[in-house]
Amino acid sequence: MDYMTQMDAARRGIITDEMEAVARKELVDVEKLRKLVAEGKVVIPANKNHISLEPCGIGEGLKTKINVNLGVSKDCCNIEAELEKVRCAIKLKADAIMDLSCYGKTEEFRRRLVEISPAAIGTVPVYDAVGFYDKELEKITAEEFLGVVEKHALDGVDFMTVHAGINRETAARFRKNPRLTNIVSRGGALLFTWMELNNRENPFYEYYDELLNLCRKYDVTISLGDACRPGSIKDATDASQIQELIILGELTKRAWEKGVQVMIEGPGHMALNEIVPNMIIEKKLCHGAPFYVLGPLVTDIAPGYDHITSAIGGAIAAANGADFLCYVTPAEHLRLPNLEDMKEGIIASRIAAHAADIAKGVPGARQWDDKMSEARRNLDWPGMFELALDPEKAVRYRDESRPENEDTCTMCGKMCAVRNMNKVLNGVSPL
């Protein structure tokens, strides 16, 4: 291999196996894809140690991707239960899975996850540091934080969220501009606390070049975390968020200089009317790097239904520039999601992503809908089920309420408009 990263290869005019695979799946020209990877507008997270990976591309001109969060915590540390969620996420066609484990020795779960998952795997190394070293947060050294990054890279993690933008300058801006919900990013809060307790610069910012060298060695895509993402619509598009975004744009250029692939993470909670301007600002300040958003949740009043509030925001965000949606489940802000919560979150995010792809003119997106409409016109129930985003639920709903006439459903019966129009247009009395 005469290149270190996908970006290196693309810049040298080399089309990798991963680029070929992505181009086939996305129905795009591979040479066009190579140029986008070279420019940093598309990333292909593909750690050299993730043997089971089926590569996916994230970025300009490609299908909107979705990510699923899972992992063990102190209150819920059942590895087998989390692995069952992994299998379900893969079945439901999640594009990426993030292991957010934050309790104990997480190595076993992470390695098993990488082994069985064809989807890209992401982690947040700062979560793992406290358990890995079994010491107080403030006692962890910069070298030890980087040690966890290398450990995750060795295990085959494809992308890592690193909150390098919450440096002392950003922290000062946050202090000068009080928020309703302060810092809600778990990783951002941990690093802000570490900086306060040690009166030092964020280690991931101070030793950013060393971090990039590790990412380059294994071709880990760096996902620049948004420590100052808004945790309420009140805090959206404030000074802290924009300050950090400026820093992330600078860090993006430094990563590209080393041939390291970059994604940018974004909000958060945000009112509908602020989503489009935020997509424009992010793409401008971060030079067209792929944008990865959590939601955004468009209202703060719906605990138990935040998969819906995030899908609304996600569809708008993706239709206007976001490339990667982090799913949100009905359990958001309430508890660790169970298997059913996870499924609801995945389906909601996939609907949002697909709706955005139609708006963006992504190859193949609208054709899927046209095929479904054709099956509906023909009252082709097996065809509808085959095309459905969640075939199992569609089949179950029909089976739970069988109609008198099999070419109808129990909503309209013989008054079904589709059935009657088909008949009358063919010269047959419908009733």
Side-chain angles (χ1 to χ4, degrees):
M1 183 181 294
D2 59 354
Y3 58 87
M4 293 295 292
T5 69
Q6 295 291 323
M7 178 173 266
D8 277 342
R11 287 173 173 174
R12 297 180 193 185
I14 299 169
I15 293 174
T16 65
D17 291 344
E18 290 80 7
M19 292 178 205
E20 290 276 11
V22 170
R24 284 194 301 271
K25 286 196 292 187
E26 298 281 348
L27 306 176
V28 299
D29 177 72
V30 71
E31 176 60 21
K32 180 179 179 181
L33 177 67
R34 181 197 65 77
K35 290 179 180 178
L36 290 168
V37 173
E39 294 170 358
K41 294 179 180 177
V42 166
V43 298
I44 302 177
N47 187 313
K48 297 169 185 178
N49 293 340
H50 189 174
I51 306 302
S52 63
L53 178 69
E54 294 177 7
C56 80
I58 302 168
E60 185 177 307
L62 306 183
K63 295 185 186 80
T64 305
K65 304 304 186 299
I66 72 155
N67 172 70
V68 169
N69 290 338
L70 41 77
V72 296
S73 66
K74 186 173 183 179
D75 293 310
C76 300
C77 54
N78 186 330
I79 288 178
E80 295 305 323
E82 293 306 296
L83 287 171
E84 181 59 27
K85 291 180 188 176
V86 172
R87 296 183 189 98
C88 181
I90 293 168
K91 180 181 177 182
L92 291 173
K93 301 181 181 179
D95 301 292
I97 297 173
M98 287 200 78
D99 173 14
L100 304 189
S101 296
C102 59
Y103 173 72
K105 307 298 183 184
T106 61
E107 182 178 71
E108 177 191 352
F109 176 68
R110 183 170 59 252
R111 286 185 170 178
R112 291 176 67 182
L113 171 60
V114 171
E115 181 181 344
I116 69 173
S117 176
I121 301 301
T123 59
V124 188
V126 71
Y127 292 179
D128 194 24
V130 175
F132 184 79
Y133 292 112
D134 196 21
K135 58 166 62 173
E136 295 297 320
L137 174 66
E138 65 183 292
K139 302 297 184 184
I140 300 174
T141 66
E143 293 76 15
E144 287 173 331
F145 278 123
L146 291 175
V148 172
V149 170
E150 182 154 28
K151 179 63 180 167
H152 287 209
L154 274 167
D155 288 344
V157 170
D158 302 295
F159 65 99
M160 296 185 203
T161 293
V162 180
H163 300 84
I166 179 74
N167 61 7
R168 300 195 79 167
E169 185 180 2
T170 305
R173 184 75 60 195
F174 163 73
R175 285 189 170 281
K176 290 177 183 177
N177 296 272
R179 286 177 143 191
L180 179 61
T181 49
N182 295 316
I183 293 176
V184 300
S185 158
R186 194 186 337 175
L190 287 170
L191 286 166
F192 181 86
T193 301
W194 188 93
M195 292 163 63
E196 291 288 299
L197 294 174
N198 290 286
N199 193 30
R200 285 188 56 188
E201 181 58 276
N202 177 346
F204 292 114
Y205 182 80
E206 184 175 0
Y207 296 97
Y208 189 62
D209 286 332
E210 289 82 353
L211 170 67
L212 293 177
N213 289 338
L214 290 174
C215 291
R216 178 175 173 80
K217 181 178 178 181
Y218 300 92
D219 198 3
V220 171
T221 298
I222 187 167
S223 188
L224 288 171
D226 52 335
C228 293
R229 70 171 182 264
S232 61
I233 61 172
K234 171 76 171 177
D235 294 335
T237 327
D238 71 349
S240 299
Q241 181 192 333
I242 301 303
Q243 170 68 43
E244 183 179 34
L245 198 58
I246 292 169
I247 302 298
L248 296 185
E250 295 168 352
L251 294 176
T252 296
K253 283 190 170 182
R254 286 175 60 184
W256 286 347
E257 287 170 4
K258 288 183 176 282
V260 174
Q261 300 185 97
V262 178
M263 295 188 289
I264 308 297
E265 298 188 13
H269 294 236
M270 184 165 288
L272 280 171
N273 60 304
E274 294 187 52
I275 295 175
V276 174
N278 266 265
M279 300 305 107
I280 296 170
I281 291 169
E282 184 281 335
K283 288 288 184 175
K284 182 72 172 179
L285 293 179
C286 295
H287 321 294
F291 198 20
Y292 172 26
V293 296
L294 178 66
L297 283 67
V298 295
T299 178
D300 300 328
I301 63 164
Y305 298 92
D306 277 333
H307 59 310
I308 297 173
T309 66
S310 71
I312 294 168
I316 296 170
N320 290 279
D323 307 287
F324 193 20
L325 303 180
C326 188
Y327 91 148
V328 175
T329 78
E332 183 76 8
H333 304 306
L334 301 172
R335 61 168 166 79
L336 189 77
N338 62 25
L339 197 61
E340 189 58 32
D341 296 328
M342 190 191 73
K343 182 175 180 179
E344 291 287 328
I346 291 173
I347 295 299
S349 291
R350 287 194 62 200
I351 292 170
H354 179 68
D357 289 347
I358 294 170
K360 289 191 287 191
V362 170
R366 186 176 288 272
Q367 286 83 346
W368 185 3
D369 289 69
D370 290 346
K371 288 178 181 178
M372 175 63 86
S373 296
E374 183 178 7
R376 283 181 170 151
R377 182 197 66 202
N378 296 332
L379 296 170
D380 176 6
W381 299 99
M384 286 185 248
F385 299 147
E386 185 177 347
L387 290 162
L389 195 65
D390 183 1
E392 291 181 5
K393 187 171 186 177
V395 169
R396 175 167 56 84
Y397 270 37
R398 180 156 175 82
D399 285 345
E400 286 175 352
S401 185
R402 302 297 302 188
E404 178 183 356
N405 298 285
E406 283 300 313
D407 61 349
T408 68
C409 76
T410 53
M411 179 72 178
C412 299
K414 285 189 174 183
M415 295 179 68
C416 171
V418 175
R419 172 184 179 275
N420 292 344
M421 286 302 298
N422 287 346
K423 286 181 176 295
V424 76
L425 288 174
N426 284 295
V428 178
S429 176
L431 298 175

